[in-house]
Amino acid sequence: EHNHRIQTFKLQMIFNTESAQLVDEWMKIAIEKGLRKLELRTYEKSYILPSITLESRSLEELVLYNCKFEQKQVIKHIMCRSLRRLDLENVFLVDEVLENIILNCRLIENLNIHHCDGLRNITVKDLKKLKEFSVIYDGEQNVQVYSPNLESFTCQRGSWYCQSIRGRLRLFAAQNLKLLVLNGICITDEFFLGLGNVFPHIEELKVSNSDDTHRIKISSQSLRKLELIRNEKLEEVQVDAPKIVQ
């Protein structure tokens, strides 16, 4: 019995004080049994994730919906260095927690941060294994990405229709990028001028709901697909892309 391992622990429930204590115990047991995948979904954002979750050296996938990180303790005890996938949706966490997760979990390949309260700056850097990154935010967060091996990047403002809410997006050193999706992000015409040089392997570009885009001029030897949707102030499009099919 002592050799039995728990590969996956999935839980979806409504929490109260008693159930939260039970879940803490279940998670502790699972982690001690070499847990590899944890998926936790709650109906109310009241459950505080115990710090032991990020102390697991065996954890490879962490999927969280509608819960909170324990701020002070989690910063000091991050040891899940096997983590390869991190999905956070409707999760409350502050900048320091995200920074320390990224600092200590260098093997992350797939990262999703959707509608997470508490973040002012979403900075992703030094993740050399990162292939896919998706971020959806509702406030004035700044998003900065430094990722040389990133292949797919989606950035979407959840409240894109509210033009008074503006953040800043910076995407650096993503020369292997193949898919770029921008929805509700303020993109100026200058962004498109250097697209072919900045992203020499870009194959698919989707831009929607950008009120700062007026004239698009793109030159790319790799671009195969271009989608422009609901960019209401767009007046002119010029594309020089010999491989484009759509």
Side-chain angles (χ1 to χ4, degrees):
E1 293 183 0
H2 294 290
N3 294 325
H4 290 172
R5 299 175 63 88
I6 298 178
Q7 301 288 330
T8 302
F9 179 55
K10 293 184 179 182
L11 182 64
Q12 182 172 329
M13 65 181 295
I14 298 174
F15 281 86
N16 54 39
T17 303
E18 293 182 358
S19 61
Q21 292 175 349
L22 282 174
V23 173
D24 286 352
E25 290 297 320
W26 295 340
M27 289 176 58
K28 181 180 179 181
I29 293 171
I31 289 170
E32 290 174 349
K33 293 289 187 179
L35 183 66
R36 290 188 177 181
K37 180 178 179 180
L38 172 61
E39 184 173 330
L40 181 62
R41 300 178 182 273
T42 72
Y43 291 97
E44 296 181 4
K45 197 181 294 184
S46 59
Y47 180 66
I48 299 177
L49 198 71
S51 59
I52 192 175
T53 306
L54 293 180
E55 296 175 11
S56 170
R57 297 180 184 275
S58 61
L59 193 64
E60 296 178 1
E61 295 186 23
L62 180 59
V63 180
L64 302 175
Y65 177 81
N66 221 24
C67 56
K68 299 179 180 180
F69 275 98
E70 191 173 5
Q71 298 180 26
K72 294 182 179 179
Q73 294 184 21
V74 76
I75 292 177
K76 299 178 181 179
H77 300 92
I78 298 178
M79 295 182 291
C80 50
R81 295 184 173 89
S82 298
L83 195 66
R84 286 172 169 76
R85 176 189 174 190
L86 177 62
D87 285 8
L88 306 176
E89 184 172 355
N90 289 328
V91 172
F92 181 88
L93 73 165
V94 296
D95 293 3
E96 292 78 11
V97 174
L98 179 61
E99 290 170 4
N100 279 275
I101 291 175
I102 290 173
L103 179 64
N104 290 279
C105 305
R106 298 298 184 88
L107 297 181
I108 293 177
E109 299 175 358
N110 188 301
L111 176 62
N112 297 299
I113 303 174
H114 295 173
H115 306 291
C116 289
D117 297 332
L119 291 172
R120 298 183 62 184
N121 296 289
I122 301 173
T123 301
V124 175
K125 61 181 180 180
D126 298 327
L127 290 180
K128 295 182 180 180
K129 299 288 186 178
L130 186 64
K131 299 293 185 182
E132 299 181 6
F133 178 33
S134 174
V135 56
I136 302 175
Y137 60 102
D138 302 298
E140 296 182 351
Q141 292 98 330
N142 295 317
V143 179
Q144 298 189 63
V145 184
Y146 306 78
S147 184
N149 296 310
L150 188 66
E151 296 181 358
S152 173
F153 177 57
T154 297
C155 187
Q156 177 176 325
R157 193 189 310 280
S159 52
W160 58 264
Y161 51 84
C162 182
Q163 294 302 316
S164 62
I165 298 179
R166 289 173 177 261
R168 176 179 294 180
L169 167 64
R170 291 185 175 182
L171 182 58
F172 299 96
Q175 294 191 346
N176 288 326
L177 195 70
K178 295 180 180 179
L179 170 64
L180 178 59
V181 180
L182 304 173
N183 183 9
I185 310 302
C186 299
I187 309 168
T188 61
D189 299 348
E190 287 74 19
F191 168 82
F192 299 96
L193 291 175
L195 186 78
N197 293 325
V198 177
F199 308 121
H201 301 291
I202 188 77
E203 296 181 358
E204 189 170 350
L205 174 64
K206 300 180 181 180
V207 178
S208 55
N209 300 301
S210 174
D211 283 354
D212 282 1
T213 304
H214 301 277
R215 292 178 175 84
I216 293 178
K217 187 175 182 180
I218 297 176
S219 178
S220 171
Q221 297 300 309
S222 58
L223 189 65
R224 295 177 179 272
K225 184 176 182 179
L226 174 64
E227 288 188 10
L228 304 171
I229 303 173
R230 293 190 299 273
N231 301 293
E232 296 183 357
K233 295 184 179 181
L234 183 60
E235 300 173 2
E236 182 181 353
V237 178
Q238 295 182 35
V239 179
D240 178 14
K243 293 184 179 180
I244 201 164
V245 294
Q246 182 173 349

